[in-house]
Amino acid sequence: MTPRRITARLTSALFTAALLTATLPAAGAAASPDTPAPRPTIGLALGSGGANGLAHIAILQVFDDLGIVPDRIVGTSIGAVIGGLYAAGLPAEAIRDIFDDVAGSPLDALSGLAESEVELSALVPFGHDDAGLLDSAGFLHFLAGHTEVRTFDALRIPLEVVATDYWTGESVTLDEGPLFPAIEASMAVPGLFLPIHHGKQLLIDGGISKPLPFDLLYGEVDLVIAVDVSGSRRQEDGEELGLSDMLFNSFKIMQQAIIQQALHHQPPDIYLRPETRGVRLLHFNRIDEILRQTEPTAEELRDLLEGWLALQAAPSP
């Protein structure tokens, strides 16, 4: 069994068939022509991938444009950041504005290679020990300033955030208590951001153990949509690799291997993999370019969801 990856080769018939199956009444149940079938519940899995994860915004914009609210969201790393803001009630456009305000990556800003409307050297200062280069607490405080939501139970959409237990290597699912400390743990890239203490656990980036956590949605929703933003490893013309590139690309190789194994074991109903080329882990200053490259995937998803809405509106036979 292979996942239905959104590409130019995929027709709406596959997705429509899945949605139709999900809305069919149970065997022996009486279907009333005056009562519309309940829509299938939809779960979104937003994966890790650094700046490539800004592609999640384009996917969420499609849901906003069509007036569809996902029933559950699970997120890892940048997927936890964007998924958390969206689950808190911020529309995709507002999330885009937030990342426009912090358009330079932390390392770019600190080295003077990029400019930003918000001084990221203040938002993401150097860490105070050898466990991480940067302290993400300021950045999370900045994000929290855009919503009054502080806990998981105050979210408009149920959310699960994935981190990794440093000592056991196992994934840790966080879905209760304070929201932003959980997000901070999920995005704690080893060596870049400081790890987060959570009770007796020391938590690091969820991408280490579960970079695309769509399996958490099985049995919870009718349709599982997974957004893989692990990016491309294609060599660009004239590209020269530095030490940070080698480290982050090695991290990407590991993530993509985990994702492929998960897809082989039990794929989601819809697998989205935007092609964002030439984007490195901390290239948040390339948000416009990332969203532009994500448009083909977003538009194909839009076509599929519009077909579903038409199917929902059609009168019962």
Side-chain angles (χ1 to χ4, degrees):
M1 182 178 182
T2 57
R4 299 168 189 149
R5 175 180 172 182
I6 301 294
T7 68
R9 298 186 295 276
L10 179 63
T11 67
S12 61
L14 290 174
F15 191 46
T16 300
L19 288 164
L20 181 60
T21 300
T23 57
L24 289 175
S32 170
D34 298 326
T35 304
R39 76 162 177 84
T41 53
I42 297 176
L44 283 179
L46 306 181
S48 64
N52 284 296
L54 296 177
H56 291 316
I57 298 173
I59 300 302
L60 294 174
Q61 186 65 58
V62 173
F63 282 86
D64 284 351
D65 291 345
L66 299 180
I68 301 173
V69 179
D71 297 276
R72 298 188 73 86
I73 297 175
V74 296
T76 296
S77 199
I78 186 64
V81 174
I82 293 177
L85 294 173
Y86 192 74
L90 274 68
E93 185 175 356
I95 298 173
R96 174 174 182 164
D97 289 342
I98 290 173
F99 281 94
D100 272 334
D101 288 341
V102 288
S105 77
L107 292 185
D108 281 344
L110 290 172
S111 62
L113 297 179
E115 296 180 353
S116 172
E117 296 179 21
V118 176
E119 185 59 47
L120 283 184
S121 59
L123 289 179
V124 192
F126 283 109
H128 300 296
D129 56 39
D130 294 333
L133 175 64
L134 306 171
D135 185 347
S136 59
F139 176 62
L140 269 295
H141 180 75
F142 170 74
L143 293 181
H146 291 80
T147 176
E148 296 181 354
V149 173
R150 292 292 179 270
T151 61
F152 279 90
D153 58 10
L155 295 168
R156 70 159 184 159
I157 301 173
L159 171 74
E160 292 177 294
V161 167
V162 177
T164 301
D165 186 319
Y166 174 78
W167 297 112
T168 67
E170 297 178 349
S171 64
V172 176
T173 302
L174 305 171
D175 60 0
E176 60 183 11
L179 173 64
F180 286 96
I183 293 175
E184 186 177 15
S186 183
M187 60 171 278
V189 178
L192 181 61
F193 295 119
L194 296 174
I196 303 301
H197 291 275
H198 179 74
K200 296 182 179 180
Q201 295 174 314
L202 185 64
L203 301 182
I204 58 175
D205 194 290
I208 297 291
S209 57
K210 198 182 290 286
L212 187 58
F214 56 85
D215 62 304
L216 297 179
L217 294 169
Y218 294 144
E220 300 292 335
V221 294
D222 297 315
L223 293 167
V224 176
I225 301 177
V227 187
D228 179 359
V229 293
S230 59
S232 170
R233 295 200 314 274
R234 299 173 185 172
Q235 183 177 6
E236 304 297 325
D237 292 339
E239 180 181 20
E240 295 184 3
L241 299 179
L243 176 60
S244 63
D245 297 314
M246 292 296 295
L247 292 173
F248 294 148
N249 282 338
S250 297
F251 186 51
K252 183 185 299 184
I253 291 171
M254 178 198 69
Q255 288 184 313
Q256 291 177 346
I258 294 173
I259 291 171
Q260 288 304 312
Q261 184 177 25
L263 291 173
H264 179 76
H265 176 68
Q266 187 176 2
D269 296 295
I270 299 295
Y271 171 55
L272 307 170
R273 192 171 189 272
E275 292 291 339
T276 51
R277 298 187 58 181
V279 178
R280 298 180 184 178
L281 183 74
L282 296 172
H283 279 173
F284 289 96
N285 58 315
R286 297 188 179 182
I287 181 171
D288 292 336
E289 178 184 345
I290 293 166
L291 294 178
R292 178 183 57 77
Q293 292 191 60
T294 307
E295 285 179 4
T297 301
E299 287 306 308
E300 290 181 44
L301 177 63
R302 185 188 305 274
D303 290 343
L304 294 176
L305 292 177
E306 286 178 339
W308 167 59
L309 290 175
L311 179 66
Q312 290 289 106
S316 301

PDB file of all heavy atoms in Angstrom, residues 204-228:
ATOM      1  N   ILE A 204      14.214  16.999  23.665  1.00  0.00           N
ATOM      2  CA  ILE A 204      14.811  17.641  22.502  1.00  0.00           C
ATOM      3  C   ILE A 204      13.854  17.513  21.320  1.00  0.00           C
ATOM      4  O   ILE A 204      12.758  16.952  21.438  1.00  0.00           O
ATOM      5  CB  ILE A 204      16.186  17.016  22.160  1.00  0.00           C
ATOM      6  CG1 ILE A 204      16.041  15.508  21.897  1.00  0.00           C
ATOM      7  CG2 ILE A 204      17.189  17.287  23.265  1.00  0.00           C
ATOM      8  CD1 ILE A 204      17.337  14.841  21.442  1.00  0.00           C
ATOM      9  N   ASP A 205      14.275  18.019  20.196  1.00  0.00           N
ATOM     10  CA  ASP A 205      13.449  18.099  18.984  1.00  0.00           C
ATOM     11  C   ASP A 205      12.732  16.783  18.662  1.00  0.00           C
ATOM     12  O   ASP A 205      13.346  15.719  18.642  1.00  0.00           O
ATOM     13  CB  ASP A 205      14.335  18.500  17.808  1.00  0.00           C
ATOM     14  CG  ASP A 205      13.546  18.926  16.590  1.00  0.00           C
ATOM     15  OD1 ASP A 205      12.917  18.060  15.970  1.00  0.00           O
ATOM     16  OD2 ASP A 205      13.561  20.125  16.271  1.00  0.00           O
ATOM     17  N   GLY A 206      11.426  16.888  18.397  1.00  0.00           N
ATOM     18  CA  GLY A 206      10.642  15.701  18.061  1.00  0.00           C
ATOM     19  C   GLY A 206      11.035  15.064  16.749  1.00  0.00           C
ATOM     20  O   GLY A 206      10.759  13.885  16.522  1.00  0.00           O
ATOM     21  N   GLY A 207      11.706  15.843  15.872  1.00  0.00           N
ATOM     22  CA  GLY A 207      12.135  15.285  14.599  1.00  0.00           C
ATOM     23  C   GLY A 207      13.170  14.194  14.729  1.00  0.00           C
ATOM     24  O   GLY A 207      13.391  13.414  13.797  1.00  0.00           O
ATOM     25  N   ILE A 208      13.814  14.103  15.881  1.00  0.00           N
ATOM     26  CA  ILE A 208      14.793  13.054  16.117  1.00  0.00           C
ATOM     27  C   ILE A 208      14.138  11.679  16.106  1.00  0.00           C
ATOM     28  O   ILE A 208      14.703  10.700  15.606  1.00  0.00           O
ATOM     29  CB  ILE A 208      15.505  13.269  17.474  1.00  0.00           C
ATOM     30  CG1 ILE A 208      16.290  14.579  17.468  1.00  0.00           C
ATOM     31  CG2 ILE A 208      16.413  12.096  17.823  1.00  0.00           C
ATOM     32  CD1 ILE A 208      17.481  14.568  16.561  1.00  0.00           C
ATOM     33  N   SER A 209      12.930  11.590  16.647  1.00  0.00           N
ATOM     34  CA  SER A 209      12.272  10.288  16.788  1.00  0.00           C
ATOM     35  C   SER A 209      11.035  10.139  15.913  1.00  0.00           C
ATOM     36  O   SER A 209      10.710   9.032  15.487  1.00  0.00           O
ATOM     37  CB  SER A 209      11.873  10.052  18.249  1.00  0.00           C
ATOM     38  OG  SER A 209      11.027  11.103  18.708  1.00  0.00           O
ATOM     39  N   LYS A 210      10.309  11.255  15.643  1.00  0.00           N
ATOM     40  CA  LYS A 210       9.061  11.151  14.883  1.00  0.00           C
ATOM     41  C   LYS A 210       8.864  12.438  14.074  1.00  0.00           C
ATOM     42  O   LYS A 210       8.075  13.313  14.446  1.00  0.00           O
ATOM     43  CB  LYS A 210       7.886  10.908  15.834  1.00  0.00           C
ATOM     44  CG  LYS A 210       6.627  10.363  15.158  1.00  0.00           C
ATOM     45  CD  LYS A 210       5.486  10.203  16.164  1.00  0.00           C
ATOM     46  CE  LYS A 210       5.711   9.075  17.145  1.00  0.00           C
ATOM     47  NZ  LYS A 210       5.506   7.758  16.498  1.00  0.00           N
ATOM     48  N   PRO A 211       9.563  12.563  12.947  1.00  0.00           N
ATOM     49  CA  PRO A 211       9.522  13.814  12.182  1.00  0.00           C
ATOM     50  C   PRO A 211       8.202  14.090  11.475  1.00  0.00           C
ATOM     51  O   PRO A 211       7.919  15.233  11.117  1.00  0.00           O
ATOM     52  CB  PRO A 211      10.660  13.649  11.171  1.00  0.00           C
ATOM     53  CG  PRO A 211      10.846  12.170  11.050  1.00  0.00           C
ATOM     54  CD  PRO A 211      10.537  11.605  12.392  1.00  0.00           C
ATOM     55  N   LEU A 212       7.386  13.071  11.247  1.00  0.00           N
ATOM     56  CA  LEU A 212       6.077  13.252  10.603  1.00  0.00           C
ATOM     57  C   LEU A 212       5.070  12.364  11.335  1.00  0.00           C
ATOM     58  O   LEU A 212       4.857  11.209  10.974  1.00  0.00           O
ATOM     59  CB  LEU A 212       6.159  12.886   9.119  1.00  0.00           C
ATOM     60  CG  LEU A 212       4.925  13.185   8.266  1.00  0.00           C
ATOM     61  CD1 LEU A 212       4.569  14.671   8.330  1.00  0.00           C
ATOM     62  CD2 LEU A 212       5.158  12.760   6.817  1.00  0.00           C
ATOM     63  N   PRO A 213       4.433  12.875  12.387  1.00  0.00           N
ATOM     64  CA  PRO A 213       3.704  12.031  13.345  1.00  0.00           C
ATOM     65  C   PRO A 213       2.273  11.670  12.958  1.00  0.00           C
ATOM     66  O   PRO A 213       1.375  11.691  13.792  1.00  0.00           O
ATOM     67  CB  PRO A 213       3.725  12.903  14.605  1.00  0.00           C
ATOM     68  CG  PRO A 213       3.647  14.297  14.090  1.00  0.00           C
ATOM     69  CD  PRO A 213       4.467  14.294  12.811  1.00  0.00           C
ATOM     70  N   PHE A 214       2.063  11.282  11.697  1.00  0.00           N
ATOM     71  CA  PHE A 214       0.691  10.988  11.268  1.00  0.00           C
ATOM     72  C   PHE A 214       0.120   9.749  11.938  1.00  0.00           C
ATOM     73  O   PHE A 214      -1.102   9.590  12.010  1.00  0.00           O
ATOM     74  CB  PHE A 214       0.633  10.847   9.739  1.00  0.00           C
ATOM     75  CG  PHE A 214       1.554   9.817   9.154  1.00  0.00           C
ATOM     76  CD1 PHE A 214       1.184   8.487   9.088  1.00  0.00           C
ATOM     77  CD2 PHE A 214       2.786  10.187   8.634  1.00  0.00           C
ATOM     78  CE1 PHE A 214       2.029   7.532   8.524  1.00  0.00           C
ATOM     79  CE2 PHE A 214       3.638   9.253   8.073  1.00  0.00           C
ATOM     80  CZ  PHE A 214       3.261   7.914   8.022  1.00  0.00           C
ATOM     81  N   ASP A 215       0.977   8.862  12.452  1.00  0.00           N
ATOM     82  CA  ASP A 215       0.470   7.662  13.104  1.00  0.00           C
ATOM     83  C   ASP A 215      -0.354   7.984  14.349  1.00  0.00           C
ATOM     84  O   ASP A 215      -1.207   7.185  14.758  1.00  0.00           O
ATOM     85  CB  ASP A 215       1.618   6.718  13.471  1.00  0.00           C
ATOM     86  CG  ASP A 215       2.600   7.341  14.458  1.00  0.00           C
ATOM     87  OD1 ASP A 215       3.127   8.424  14.145  1.00  0.00           O
ATOM     88  OD2 ASP A 215       2.811   6.757  15.528  1.00  0.00           O
ATOM     89  N   LEU A 216      -0.144   9.145  14.945  1.00  0.00           N
ATOM     90  CA  LEU A 216      -0.904   9.528  16.131  1.00  0.00           C
ATOM     91  C   LEU A 216      -2.372   9.807  15.802  1.00  0.00           C
ATOM     92  O   LEU A 216      -3.206   9.883  16.703  1.00  0.00           O
ATOM     93  CB  LEU A 216      -0.288  10.770  16.780  1.00  0.00           C
ATOM     94  CG  LEU A 216       1.140  10.624  17.308  1.00  0.00           C
ATOM     95  CD1 LEU A 216       1.620  11.952  17.904  1.00  0.00           C
ATOM     96  CD2 LEU A 216       1.239   9.506  18.339  1.00  0.00           C
ATOM     97  N   LEU A 217      -2.676   9.953  14.517  1.00  0.00           N
ATOM     98  CA  LEU A 217      -4.046  10.264  14.107  1.00  0.00           C
ATOM     99  C   LEU A 217      -4.867   9.017  13.792  1.00  0.00           C
ATOM    100  O   LEU A 217      -6.094   9.097  13.666  1.00  0.00           O
ATOM    101  CB  LEU A 217      -4.027  11.174  12.872  1.00  0.00           C
ATOM    102  CG  LEU A 217      -3.445  12.573  13.096  1.00  0.00           C
ATOM    103  CD1 LEU A 217      -3.230  13.280  11.759  1.00  0.00           C
ATOM    104  CD2 LEU A 217      -4.346  13.398  13.998  1.00  0.00           C
ATOM    105  N   TYR A 218      -4.211   7.860  13.658  1.00  0.00           N
ATOM    106  CA  TYR A 218      -4.940   6.638  13.347  1.00  0.00           C
ATOM    107  C   TYR A 218      -5.947   6.329  14.447  1.00  0.00           C
ATOM    108  O   TYR A 218      -5.625   6.351  15.632  1.00  0.00           O
ATOM    109  CB  TYR A 218      -3.981   5.454  13.185  1.00  0.00           C
ATOM    110  CG  TYR A 218      -3.054   5.562  11.998  1.00  0.00           C
ATOM    111  CD1 TYR A 218      -1.747   5.085  12.069  1.00  0.00           C
ATOM    112  CD2 TYR A 218      -3.467   6.143  10.813  1.00  0.00           C
ATOM    113  CE1 TYR A 218      -0.884   5.180  10.993  1.00  0.00           C
ATOM    114  CE2 TYR A 218      -2.616   6.246   9.733  1.00  0.00           C
ATOM    115  CZ  TYR A 218      -1.330   5.752   9.823  1.00  0.00           C
ATOM    116  OH  TYR A 218      -0.475   5.852   8.750  1.00  0.00           O
ATOM    117  N   GLY A 219      -7.166   6.041  14.059  1.00  0.00           N
ATOM    118  CA  GLY A 219      -8.209   5.718  15.014  1.00  0.00           C
ATOM    119  C   GLY A 219      -8.863   6.933  15.645  1.00  0.00           C
ATOM    120  O   GLY A 219      -9.838   6.800  16.377  1.00  0.00           O
ATOM    121  N   GLU A 220      -8.322   8.134  15.360  1.00  0.00           N
ATOM    122  CA  GLU A 220      -8.866   9.361  15.927  1.00  0.00           C
ATOM    123  C   GLU A 220      -9.706  10.137  14.923  1.00  0.00           C
ATOM    124  O   GLU A 220     -10.607  10.888  15.307  1.00  0.00           O
ATOM    125  CB  GLU A 220      -7.729  10.257  16.436  1.00  0.00           C
ATOM    126  CG  GLU A 220      -6.863   9.620  17.518  1.00  0.00           C
ATOM    127  CD  GLU A 220      -7.617   9.419  18.817  1.00  0.00           C
ATOM    128  OE1 GLU A 220      -8.589  10.158  19.056  1.00  0.00           O
ATOM    129  OE2 GLU A 220      -7.227   8.518  19.584  1.00  0.00           O
ATOM    130  N   VAL A 221      -9.393   9.997  13.639  1.00  0.00           N
ATOM    131  CA  VAL A 221     -10.106  10.726  12.589  1.00  0.00           C
ATOM    132  C   VAL A 221     -10.375   9.787  11.419  1.00  0.00           C
ATOM    133  O   VAL A 221      -9.801   8.697  11.334  1.00  0.00           O
ATOM    134  CB  VAL A 221      -9.289  11.950  12.094  1.00  0.00           C
ATOM    135  CG1 VAL A 221      -9.140  12.984  13.189  1.00  0.00           C
ATOM    136  CG2 VAL A 221      -7.918  11.510  11.582  1.00  0.00           C
ATOM    137  N   ASP A 222     -11.250  10.231  10.515  1.00  0.00           N
ATOM    138  CA  ASP A 222     -11.560   9.418   9.342  1.00  0.00           C
ATOM    139  C   ASP A 222     -10.488   9.523   8.266  1.00  0.00           C
ATOM    140  O   ASP A 222     -10.181   8.546   7.590  1.00  0.00           O
ATOM    141  CB  ASP A 222     -12.909   9.865   8.741  1.00  0.00           C
ATOM    142  CG  ASP A 222     -14.064   9.661   9.696  1.00  0.00           C
ATOM    143  OD1 ASP A 222     -14.138   8.574  10.311  1.00  0.00           O
ATOM    144  OD2 ASP A 222     -14.900  10.580   9.835  1.00  0.00           O
ATOM    145  N   LEU A 223      -9.942  10.719   8.089  1.00  0.00           N
ATOM    146  CA  LEU A 223      -8.968  10.950   7.030  1.00  0.00           C
ATOM    147  C   LEU A 223      -7.716  11.597   7.603  1.00  0.00           C
ATOM    148  O   LEU A 223      -7.792  12.601   8.308  1.00  0.00           O
ATOM    149  CB  LEU A 223      -9.554  11.851   5.945  1.00  0.00           C
ATOM    150  CG  LEU A 223     -10.697  11.214   5.143  1.00  0.00           C
ATOM    151  CD1 LEU A 223     -11.411  12.268   4.326  1.00  0.00           C
ATOM    152  CD2 LEU A 223     -10.170  10.113   4.244  1.00  0.00           C
ATOM    153  N   VAL A 224      -6.576  11.024   7.289  1.00  0.00           N
ATOM    154  CA  VAL A 224      -5.288  11.507   7.789  1.00  0.00           C
ATOM    155  C   VAL A 224      -4.532  12.177   6.646  1.00  0.00           C
ATOM    156  O   VAL A 224      -4.286  11.563   5.607  1.00  0.00           O
ATOM    157  CB  VAL A 224      -4.454  10.350   8.369  1.00  0.00           C
ATOM    158  CG1 VAL A 224      -3.077  10.844   8.785  1.00  0.00           C
ATOM    159  CG2 VAL A 224      -5.183   9.702   9.540  1.00  0.00           C
ATOM    160  N   ILE A 225      -4.177  13.440   6.845  1.00  0.00           N
ATOM    161  CA  ILE A 225      -3.402  14.198   5.867  1.00  0.00           C
ATOM    162  C   ILE A 225      -2.057  14.537   6.494  1.00  0.00           C
ATOM    163  O   ILE A 225      -1.998  15.175   7.555  1.00  0.00           O
ATOM    164  CB  ILE A 225      -4.120  15.488   5.442  1.00  0.00           C
ATOM    165  CG1 ILE A 225      -5.487  15.155   4.825  1.00  0.00           C
ATOM    166  CG2 ILE A 225      -3.268  16.284   4.462  1.00  0.00           C
ATOM    167  CD1 ILE A 225      -6.296  16.383   4.446  1.00  0.00           C
ATOM    168  N   ALA A 226      -0.983  14.104   5.879  1.00  0.00           N
ATOM    169  CA  ALA A 226       0.367  14.328   6.404  1.00  0.00           C
ATOM    170  C   ALA A 226       1.127  15.285   5.495  1.00  0.00           C
ATOM    171  O   ALA A 226       1.116  15.126   4.271  1.00  0.00           O
ATOM    172  CB  ALA A 226       1.120  13.004   6.518  1.00  0.00           C
ATOM    173  N   VAL A 227       1.786  16.273   6.095  1.00  0.00           N
ATOM    174  CA  VAL A 227       2.537  17.273   5.341  1.00  0.00           C
ATOM    175  C   VAL A 227       4.020  17.117   5.661  1.00  0.00           C
ATOM    176  O   VAL A 227       4.487  17.466   6.740  1.00  0.00           O
ATOM    177  CB  VAL A 227       2.056  18.694   5.677  1.00  0.00           C
ATOM    178  CG1 VAL A 227       2.729  19.701   4.744  1.00  0.00           C
ATOM    179  CG2 VAL A 227       0.537  18.804   5.582  1.00  0.00           C
ATOM    180  N   ASP A 228       4.752  16.587   4.716  1.00  0.00           N
ATOM    181  CA  ASP A 228       6.181  16.301   4.859  1.00  0.00           C
ATOM    182  C   ASP A 228       6.979  17.504   4.355  1.00  0.00           C
ATOM    183  O   ASP A 228       6.982  17.804   3.162  1.00  0.00           O
ATOM    184  CB  ASP A 228       6.519  15.043   4.051  1.00  0.00           C
ATOM    185  CG  ASP A 228       7.993  14.672   4.102  1.00  0.00           C
ATOM    186  OD1 ASP A 228       8.776  15.392   4.738  1.00  0.00           O
ATOM    187  OD2 ASP A 228       8.348  13.644   3.484  1.00  0.00           O
TER     188      ASP A 228
END
